[in-house]
């Protein structure tokens, strides 16, 4: 399930393909019943696994819900995410994803809030981050997905360093879910 950084000569990926059962069992900030009812990506088998550091998707049945699943501290870990209620971001500004540092015009970056794990989450505590609205951070970093109205910043970091930064930023977000 987990590939160590730099262990594959051909791929920079950290995540291997996982199935429905493993995904549903990985969620740490919702009940088992909620995890059993959430909508998984329809094209799970067709995901570009070799290019993913985490699996992220929007719920097609509930656009205010998203999910993120990745290896974290030796275990597959999933979190449910919600778009908080309130005023929407401006469609005329450019926003930066805190995970992959991709700059998106308009509403391409969304504030997503995760309920904390354990007792803190049951008390209603959450943590949030501005993340690519389509959760395709891994593909943006690798240049596999392009922005229609903008380009990624040219960086002096190598591709591996950018991937390591993405993984580190995502792990830091997950650490906040557990804190």
């Amino acid at each position: 399930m987990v590939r160590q950084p730099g262990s594959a000569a051909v791929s920079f990926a950290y995540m291997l393909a996982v199935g429905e059962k493993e995904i549903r069992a990985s969620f740490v900030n919702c009940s088992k019943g909620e995890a059993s009812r959430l909508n998984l990506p329809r094209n799970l088998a067709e995901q570009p696994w070799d290019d993913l550091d985490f699996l992220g998707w929007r719920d097609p049945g509930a656009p205010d819900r998203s999910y993120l699943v990745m290896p974290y501290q030796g275990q597959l870990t999933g979190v449910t995410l919600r778009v908080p209620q309130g005023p929407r971001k401006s469609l005329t500004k450019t926003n930066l994803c805190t995970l992959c540092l991709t700059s998106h015009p308009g509403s391409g970056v969304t504030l997503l809030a995760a309920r904390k794990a354990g007792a803190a989450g049951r008390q209603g505590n959450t943590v949030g981050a501005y993340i690519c609205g389509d959760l395709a951070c891994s593909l943006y970093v690798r240049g596999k997905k392009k922005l229609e109205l903008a380009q990624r910043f040219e960086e002096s970091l190598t591709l591996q360093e950018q991937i390591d930064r993405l993984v580190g930023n995502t792990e830091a977000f997950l650490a906040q879910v557990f804190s």
Side-chain angles (χ1 to χ4, degrees), residues 118-159:
R122 287 189 294 277
Q123 293 173 357
N125 296 325
T126 61
V127 60
Y130 287 96
I131 302 174
C132 294
D134 58 5
L135 293 130
C137 298
S138 299
L139 301 179
Y140 289 123
V141 166
R142 289 169 174 78
K144 304 282 181 164
K145 188 168 186 176
K146 305 283 185 186
L147 299 168
E148 292 181 28
L149 301 175
Q151 293 183 340
R152 275 193 100 238
F153 294 112
E154 187 108 4
E155 294 195 61
S156 60
L157 297 177
T158 66
L159 176 58

Side-chain angles (χ1 to χ4, degrees), residues 70-143:
M70 77 175 286
Y72 177 69
Q73 296 186 347
Q75 295 204 352
L76 191 64
T77 302
V79 293
T80 61
L81 304 162
R82 289 190 182 259
V83 177
Q85 298 299 320
R88 300 287 178 183
K89 293 192 81 148
S90 169
L91 297 177
T92 59
K93 291 184 180 178
T94 300
N95 301 294
L96 192 67
C97 173
T98 59
L99 301 183
C100 67
L101 303 185
T102 298
S103 177
H104 290 268
S107 62
V109 171
T110 305
L111 175 61
L112 294 174
R115 182 173 35 181
K116 288 193 163 206
R122 287 189 294 277
Q123 293 173 357
N125 296 325
T126 61
V127 60
Y130 287 96
I131 302 174
C132 294
D134 58 5
L135 293 130
C137 298
S138 299
L139 301 179
Y140 289 123
V141 166
R142 289 169 174 78

Side-chain angles (χ1 to χ4, degrees), residues 18-20 23-24 27 38-49 52 54-61 66-69 134-135:
V18 292
E20 177 181 342
I23 291 171
R24 290 189 189 284
F27 284 92
L38 63 85
N39 293 317
L40 295 178
R42 289 189 182 110
N43 57 351
L44 189 58
E46 299 164 17
Q47 292 293 317
W49 294 105
L52 295 181
F54 63 81
L55 175 64
W57 72 100
R58 298 293 292 256
D59 189 327
S66 298
Y67 309 98
L68 186 148
V69 176
D134 58 5
L135 293 130

